[in-house]
Amino acid sequence: MPTISALPYEYELPESSQVALIVIDMQRDFLEPGGFGDALNNDVARLQAIVPVLKRLIEGFRAMDLTIIHTIECHQPDMSDCPPSKVKRGKGTLKIGDPGPMGRILIKGEPGNGIIPELAPIPGEFVIYKPGKGAFYATNLELILKEQNITHLFITGVTTEVCVQTTMREANDRGYECLMVEDCTESYFPEFKQSTLEMVRAQGGIVGWTSTADEVLKGLKAWKPSKAFA
Ligand code: C5J
């Protein structure tokens, strides 16, 4: 059985199903000055560090013709999908829906809501617009995974302890085998990232596995990434 070197132990690749790369919320709203992350007084520059590694991982999946799913945290322009509690929360300089330097904060279609150009999806990749922190809530993500016969997920993106961890926990509860890629996720708070990685793999991998982009690519190249399994 092909495996990926991971913690807390080897991650087994599937024999008769597919894998997907999930790229969570690599949006200007979280990574650039003037967006939602900045409005909440975070140092958005911290998140830039993972961009080159994540780009390499995405390109590796593309080269192997494996499924890539990007997510975008956003709300409809009328904010009918945004609970008032979410708007009130944070007490930042700008609230969700307010006009900012990159357009309205966290609103679908605004310039600041888009994925950063370096990691822009290409035709054939899925983009999930999600109103919550978890990517399964109020989206068709599960339907896509089932249709593609995907059982194994490589989870990346920002921020580690919010949307990335929430999505991984949602996926774990639905029976997916999840691996968080350590050097392809980041937080505004380094200690929160570290704690999340440890929480995921504690107790024998209670939420899943962690590993690095290099190990994931090495393991996948040795696996048979054939759509013939589908
Ligand atoms: C946050 C996210 N932090 N993508 N969203 O509000 O983690």
Side-chain angles (χ1 to χ4, degrees):
M1 172 83 67
T3 59
I4 290 173
S5 175
L7 290 173
Y9 48 83
E10 298 286 289
Y11 177 85
E12 289 185 357
L13 287 160
E15 275 182 359
S16 58
S17 58
Q18 294 295 336
V19 307
L21 176 64
I22 311 278
V23 185
I24 308 273
D25 300 357
M26 290 300 289
Q27 304 162 225
R28 301 182 66 199
D29 252 322
F30 295 110
L31 282 104
E32 293 186 14
F36 187 50
D38 188 23
L40 293 173
N41 298 315
N42 295 300
D43 173 11
V44 292
R46 272 198 55 75
L47 306 190
Q48 296 284 347
I50 62 166
V51 173
V53 191
L54 182 49
K55 187 169 160 56
R56 195 157 51 77
L57 186 63
I58 290 173
E59 283 166 358
F61 270 69
R62 283 178 185 156
M64 289 183 268
D65 195 22
L66 296 171
T67 301
I68 302 177
I69 301 174
H70 304 259
T71 72
I72 294 182
E73 183 176 347
C74 62
H75 296 283
Q76 297 297 325
D78 66 3
M79 292 175 57
S80 53
D81 59 353
C82 186
S85 59
K86 186 172 178 182
V87 182
K88 274 196 292 182
R89 209 80 63 74
K91 314 271 182 222
T93 50
L94 294 169
K95 297 192 306 302
I96 297 170
D98 284 350
M102 295 193 289
R104 292 178 67 202
I105 297 289
L106 230 54
I107 298 297
K108 188 173 180 187
E110 296 288 333
N113 200 237
I115 293 173
I116 58 169
E118 301 94 304
L119 304 183
I122 63 171
E125 295 174 1
F126 295 96
V127 180
I128 303 277
Y129 297 93
K130 64 182 187 55
K133 301 303 181 194
F136 286 83
Y137 169 68
T139 72
N140 61 351
L141 176 56
E142 197 161 12
L143 198 63
I144 291 171
L145 297 176
K146 284 195 191 326
E147 276 177 353
Q148 306 280 318
N149 191 25
I150 289 164
T151 53
H152 286 55
L153 303 178
F154 296 92
I155 303 193
T156 65
V158 297
T159 60
T160 315
E161 77 284 6
V162 186
C163 292
V164 175
Q165 177 170 217
T166 304
T167 298
M168 186 152 169
R169 287 177 182 275
E170 287 182 328
N172 183 53
D173 282 348
R174 286 167 173 78
Y176 294 95
E177 303 281 16
C178 302
L179 183 151
M180 191 181 286
V181 189
E182 294 177 24
D183 45 359
C184 291
T185 182
E186 197 46 88
S187 168
Y188 300 121
F189 307 92
E191 66 279 21
F192 289 176
K193 171 176 174 177
Q194 190 54 33
S195 300
T196 301
L197 294 171
E198 285 169 21
M199 277 190 268
V200 159
R201 60 196 180 213
Q203 303 179 77
I206 198 154
V207 185
W209 288 258
T210 67
S211 189
T212 62
D214 279 347
E215 290 298 341
V216 169
L217 287 173
K218 193 165 90 184
L220 286 175
K221 280 178 193 155
W223 180 61
K224 286 188 189 164
S226 167
K227 295 276 179 188
F229 280 128

